[in-house]
Amino acid sequence: MKFSSLKLSAKALLIVALLLLVECLFVGSYFFLLHKAEEEAAKQEKAKLIVARTNDLITVLFEGGFSIQQNIFNKEQADLSKFSKAQMELPADIAWLRQQVGADPEQLKLLARIDERTGKAMVMLEKMKTISEREAPMVAVNYAIKLRTKLQKQMEGLVQDLIDFMNVEKKIASESPAAIKQKRDYLRWLLLVALLINILAAIALALVFVRSITSRLEVVVENSDLLRRRGVLRAPMSGKDEIAQLDRAFHDMSTSLRGEEELVRASELQLRAMIDQMPIGLMIIADREKIEYANPTLERLLAYQKEELVGLSLSQLFTLPGAVEKSFHGDGIAGGVVELLGRKKNGSELHVEYSVVDVSLGAKSRRLAIVIDITERHEVEKMRKAFVAMVSHDLRTPLTSVAGFLQLLPMGVYGELTAPAVGEVNLAEGQVEQLIMLINDLLDLEKLEAGKLEMSRSEVVLEDVIDSALDTVFSLAEIRQVELMFEGCEIEVLADGERLKQAFSKILSCMLRICSQGDTLDILVEPEAKSGAAVVKFRARKLTLPQENLASIFEPFQRLKLASFDGSLGLGLTLARAIMLQHGGTCRAIDEEVQGKSHGTTLALQLPRREV
């Protein structure tokens, strides 16, 4: 396994283990040499003690022998206690010397010979002492002279052995200082070598950290900075330690970020292409209401070049419409829509609809402004207002006169009419009344959409409003031969009773027009389960409208082609829906089923209940 493939913890443990091993070897060698030096010192000290004890042994032996000879040959009463002392101490000294020399074969051999000669000498001296004590002096002297030669020979050999024994110990004592000095020299060299090894280990450790850790960490730091600056990272480092894993994580992150940047860049290009192709004017507004970007549609709208628009302020391009035009600074309309006058490069003006949303990123304030040309809408609005004014004044007034004239004809005011003529007049009168009703619906719808139709709300009982609406369509129901069924209700709502009656009447009129003869029209009022709102349903039992007509029946001038009706519904249902919306309600057309049986088309109106 390579060193670079190890983790940082394993590397640290390996380095510490190597250092500990070197230190243990150094300390072990130091203690070994120190122990050897101590052994040499102890050996020297022991040799000195052996030499001293051997000297004592010789001294005791000769003093004992001398005291015996003095007692025999000088005929003096000598001190024989020295001989007794020699008898007691010599075995002890030899035993001690034998114990001290340990397993040294040369010394043990010499010591055995010394012990043997000492024993023989002590036996001879003991005999000489015994003879001197028992026999006459001359006899003792003669016997001593006979033994003296043997004793002297024995003593000479003993002395030589003792000298050899002491020489060995003296040699050991003399060699020990040199051995100690040698061990000290070894210790000195060991310390130098250990110091050198520690220096080399420190250098190696520094190199390992610089090469394996510090330099690699510098690469990681450099890669992190490059990653932050979206730069190209250095080549991935080898190894499996934590630093290499962190470096690989940075490379993976860089690859991921580059992929995401490519996606973002592609999305930005796609978004920029979409913005450039959008049919509405768009611009990015920076601080101080300066234009930072404008799309081609806005350039065409205001007849400016792109480089001419960038840097202009909003007040140079847009003004608030009114009696006195004011400069527009874009204040206070975030999230709303205002109508402005745009100023083209040639000085001409156009009506635009202006809205803005906040698209700030971080500390940079940015807003996206949407500019829509509503010049055509203004033209259409003018035409619509002109049409409504024409219908209101130039069409409804003559139609009222025509209706009055048609009412007078059957009365014979202008002469008697034949029966066929009266029928034609009645038909014409009905069509004129229908036209007048259509004009009135159009004017009411216009007022509702403009917010100019007054609403006087109060607490009303739905049963009374529905009864009044039924009275207005009762004659039409008889003509169409449709039965009206209403069982009453006790629900109150907060509404304008007259406008609510108008909405119900319009719905009933349209339902009666499209119902077949003999059908039944049920009027049901019930509370909504969740919200508690009042739901008014107008259900024709035999009427079934196609699904596409159910979705659009409340739109203006919807055409229906049924077996019982083929024509346009006009504005009645549209006006009814507008009135319901003004009350906060809703309208919808459904095909209800109860217990799996179809109950025909139902127009359901939902009204919020009054506050209790």
Side-chain angles (χ1 to χ4, degrees), residues 445 449 553-557 570-579:
L445 187 61
E449 292 179 351
I553 194 170
F554 286 98
E555 298 300 324
F557 302 104
L571 294 173
L573 292 181
T574 306
L575 179 60
R577 182 180 63 178
I579 293 173

Side-chain angles (χ1 to χ4, degrees), residues 420-445:
V422 171
E424 292 295 330
V425 168
N426 289 333
L427 181 61
E429 182 182 0
Q431 292 178 347
V432 169
E433 288 180 355
Q434 186 175 356
L435 184 58
I436 292 174
M437 182 176 65
L438 180 61
I439 292 172
N440 291 332
D441 290 346
L442 178 62
L443 294 175
D444 287 343
L445 187 61

Side-chain angles (χ1 to χ4, degrees), residues 370-488:
I370 303 172
V371 181
I372 302 175
D373 185 5
I374 57 172
T375 303
E376 293 185 2
R377 188 192 304 175
H378 269 261
E379 295 299 326
V380 171
E381 184 68 18
K382 288 180 182 179
M383 293 173 61
R384 188 177 65 83
K385 289 181 178 179
F387 174 73
V388 170
M390 183 270 292
V391 168
S392 177
H393 299 287
D394 299 339
L395 187 58
R396 186 170 60 172
T397 301
L399 282 176
T400 304
S401 300
V402 172
F405 173 74
L406 292 176
Q407 288 177 355
L408 293 176
L409 282 178
M411 298 179 184
V413 176
Y414 300 102
E416 294 294 330
L417 296 178
T418 62
V422 171
E424 292 295 330
V425 168
N426 289 333
L427 181 61
E429 182 182 0
Q431 292 178 347
V432 169
E433 288 180 355
Q434 186 175 356
L435 184 58
I436 292 174
M437 182 176 65
L438 180 61
I439 292 172
N440 291 332
D441 290 346
L442 178 62
L443 294 175
D444 287 343
L445 187 61
E446 169 65 21
K447 290 179 181 180
L448 277 171
E449 292 179 351
K452 296 180 180 179
L453 189 65
E454 295 183 359
M455 290 281 183
S456 179
R457 300 188 184 187
S458 60
E459 295 180 3
V460 295
V461 181
L462 281 179
E463 183 177 358
D464 297 338
V465 177
I466 294 173
D467 285 340
S468 299
L470 290 174
D471 291 341
T472 59
V473 299
F474 183 73
S475 58
L476 179 60
E478 287 187 338
I479 294 172
R480 298 293 299 170
Q481 297 182 8
V482 175
E483 185 177 3
L484 300 174
M485 297 292 295
F486 175 55
E487 296 181 356

